[in-house]
Amino acid sequence: MDTDTFWDVIEAAQAGAAETGERFDEVLVKQLADRPRQEILEYAERFDELHDALYRWDVWAAAYLIGGGCSDDSFMDFRAGVIALGCQWYQRVATDPDSLAGHPDVVQAANVRDRSEVLFYEDVNYAASGAFERITGDADAFYEAWHGFRGAAAESVNVVDMGEDFDFDDDKEMRRRLPRLAALFLGLNP
């Protein structure tokens, strides 16, 4: 599955969710379960590549501001949430995480006390395994197939360049690096 096809799958799930009122992740699992197992594995591979590409300090800082904090696990969920937004938003965030200040859900979240759910979409991380479970009835079927698909490569640890680390609790630094998000979530006064 190439990247364009991956985004077609995401957009089809978005459309299905909008049409039925079901949760995006549930529609995504259903749509993946209608595909051959090989395509589900290829979807998972593209998902991991796109997910890993957002593993950067500047994206984490955006998640930190939007979520009012962000652990390692929450950052996984945030990156899945960015993917769930679709190709256009994904590309914006990959280019400039501060662009999330223009997303309607993020703007709305700035006025909500408990905003931990905005863009933090854990279940999207497990869509491929959910599709396999739906097909096979076995919760472990995906991981067995994944190991066969990726072999030792799935277990290797790649060193990722996360960019320059900085203190997310330093409001001045956050305002400098993510001015639009900082204005939303830290207020306008320095």
Side-chain angles (χ1 to χ4, degrees):
M1 177 179 290
D2 64 19
T3 305
D4 289 338
T5 304
F6 173 89
W7 288 118
D8 290 344
V9 169
I10 296 295
E11 289 170 14
Q14 289 174 329
E19 184 178 308
T20 64
E22 291 178 83
R23 290 174 41 108
F24 167 80
D25 63 285
E26 293 170 2
V27 174
L28 180 59
V29 167
K30 286 179 190 176
Q31 290 183 359
L32 287 172
D34 287 339
R35 293 177 172 269
R37 293 177 190 192
Q38 179 70 21
E39 285 187 32
I40 299 169
L41 294 168
E42 292 170 0
Y43 163 89
E45 187 172 47
R46 293 294 85 71
F47 180 88
D48 285 353
E49 289 171 1
L50 293 163
H51 196 259
D52 291 350
L54 293 177
Y55 192 71
R56 302 187 335 235
W57 291 117
D58 57 346
V59 177
W60 202 331
Y64 191 88
L65 284 171
I66 293 167
C70 186
S71 68
D72 297 356
D73 286 345
S74 292
F75 189 45
M76 287 177 52
D77 301 343
F78 180 82
R79 291 178 286 147
V82 171
I83 290 170
L85 294 176
C87 183
Q88 290 182 345
W89 274 104
Y90 177 90
Q91 290 174 343
R92 287 181 195 170
V93 173
T95 302
D96 176 20
D98 200 37
S99 67
L100 279 168
H103 192 279
D105 291 344
V106 173
V107 172
Q108 184 178 7
N111 300 313
V112 176
R113 183 176 303 274
D114 179 21
R115 55 186 188 257
S116 61
E117 297 300 315
V118 176
L119 298 187
F120 292 80
Y121 209 156
E122 179 180 12
D123 293 338
V124 174
N125 287 309
Y126 308 107
S129 63
F132 257 80
E133 184 173 1
R134 182 179 288 261
I135 292 168
T136 66
D138 180 1
D140 295 325
F142 170 77
Y143 301 102
E144 292 166 9
W146 182 249
H147 183 73
F149 178 70
R150 293 296 306 263
E155 297 173 12
S156 68
V157 177
N158 294 329
V159 177
V160 177
D161 180 7
M162 293 182 63
E164 183 183 354
D165 188 7
F166 57 98
D167 183 0
F168 298 167
D169 290 319
D170 181 340
D171 289 357
K172 184 177 179 181
E173 189 66 16
M174 292 294 263
R175 281 186 176 83
R176 183 178 77 77
R177 292 177 184 259
L178 300 164
R180 293 174 61 209
L181 283 170
L184 282 173
F185 293 101
L186 297 177
L188 297 174
N189 299 323

